[in-house]
Amino acid sequence: MSRQIAVTPSAEGIAATIRAAKGRGLPPVHLWNPKFCGDLDMRIARDGTWFYLGTPIGRPEMVRLFSTILKKEDGKYFLVTPVEKVGITVDDAPFVAVDFEVAGQGRDQVLTFTTNVGDSAAAGPDHPIRVVRDAETGEPSPYVLIRANLEALIDRKSFYRLVELGEHHDGWFGIWSANRFFPVIASEELENI
């Protein structure tokens, strides 16, 4: 008769598993569906800072490693390996878009965002931009889809730069990228601000 030993998930154990399995590109987390192992005391703050056991993770390469195994299911976030699935807390979006580049002009321009963990995505049909406004303050929170149901909050300086590129279209003020229009605010509301 064999006994099973219960293993408590840890950030170190998950990192070691990923390092051992590391190949090229992002791991295929969409194919991994291990059983849930519990929650890990890991949190991603709104500013993109990752915390483990209440302390900021100071090594960017460790944050990048964890970011590659992040998965969102039913509104919850998990770190996933082929054999483990642990829940983590995300205050807002798991990534922050810290910059973007513009190629082209007008409707044909393409806006390529870079995140705090080194991912990039060109806004368009597969990577939409959306803006949510706080019901009480009206403060905008802009997001861009980076990968597999994971968004980046667009930082303030980048959002101000986006607004400079904005145009009015069909009653909305917004941004063009890859021949797709992303509304930011109704044109009539903008006039009243």
Side-chain angles (χ1 to χ4, degrees):
M1 176 161 115
S2 66
R3 290 194 298 187
Q4 291 185 338
I5 300 172
V7 177
T8 302
S10 71
E12 296 84 6
I14 291 170
T17 300
I18 292 304
R19 278 192 206 103
K22 191 154 174 99
R24 295 176 188 231
L26 293 169
V29 296
H30 62 287
L31 301 176
W32 297 342
N33 294 303
K35 289 186 178 181
F36 180 68
C37 299
D39 291 315
L40 192 62
D41 186 2
M42 187 174 284
R43 179 176 72 89
I44 304 172
R46 189 170 200 267
D47 70 358
T49 303
W50 288 58
F51 291 85
Y52 179 57
L53 300 175
T55 303
I57 300 173
R59 294 180 42 213
E61 58 278 352
M62 186 65 72
V63 170
R64 171 65 185 160
L65 181 68
F66 288 133
S67 77
T68 65
I69 59 167
L70 189 61
K71 187 176 187 179
K72 184 177 180 184
E73 295 176 344
D74 300 323
K76 297 178 183 174
Y77 293 90
F78 302 92
L79 296 180
V80 182
T81 72
V83 296
E84 288 181 288
K85 176 180 178 180
V86 295
I88 68 167
T89 301
V90 177
D91 290 352
D92 190 351
F95 308 129
V96 176
V98 294
D99 202 1
F100 70 91
E101 293 182 4
V102 183
Q105 296 179 3
R107 292 179 180 212
D108 295 326
Q109 75 185 356
V110 176
L111 308 173
T112 302
F113 291 86
T114 303
T115 70
N116 61 316
V117 295
D119 287 323
S120 64
D126 294 333
H127 301 279
I129 296 170
R130 70 181 181 97
V131 178
V132 177
R133 293 183 58 201
D134 184 278
E136 292 178 18
T137 66
E139 180 80 19
S141 292
Y143 302 89
V144 60
L145 183 64
I146 299 298
R147 59 179 153 89
N149 204 21
L150 300 174
E151 290 183 311
L153 174 66
I154 299 171
D155 73 0
R156 187 173 301 262
K157 70 176 175 15
S158 298
F159 185 59
Y160 288 152
R161 286 180 51 219
L162 282 175
V163 169
E164 290 175 9
L165 297 171
E167 297 180 12
H168 291 274
H169 176 71
D170 287 342
W172 286 88
F173 177 81
I175 312 299
W176 288 96
S177 185
N179 207 22
R180 179 146 179 215
F181 185 75
F182 299 101
V184 173
I185 187 171
S187 295
E188 67 180 34
E189 284 186 61
L190 186 60
E191 293 168 9
N192 296 328
I193 293 180

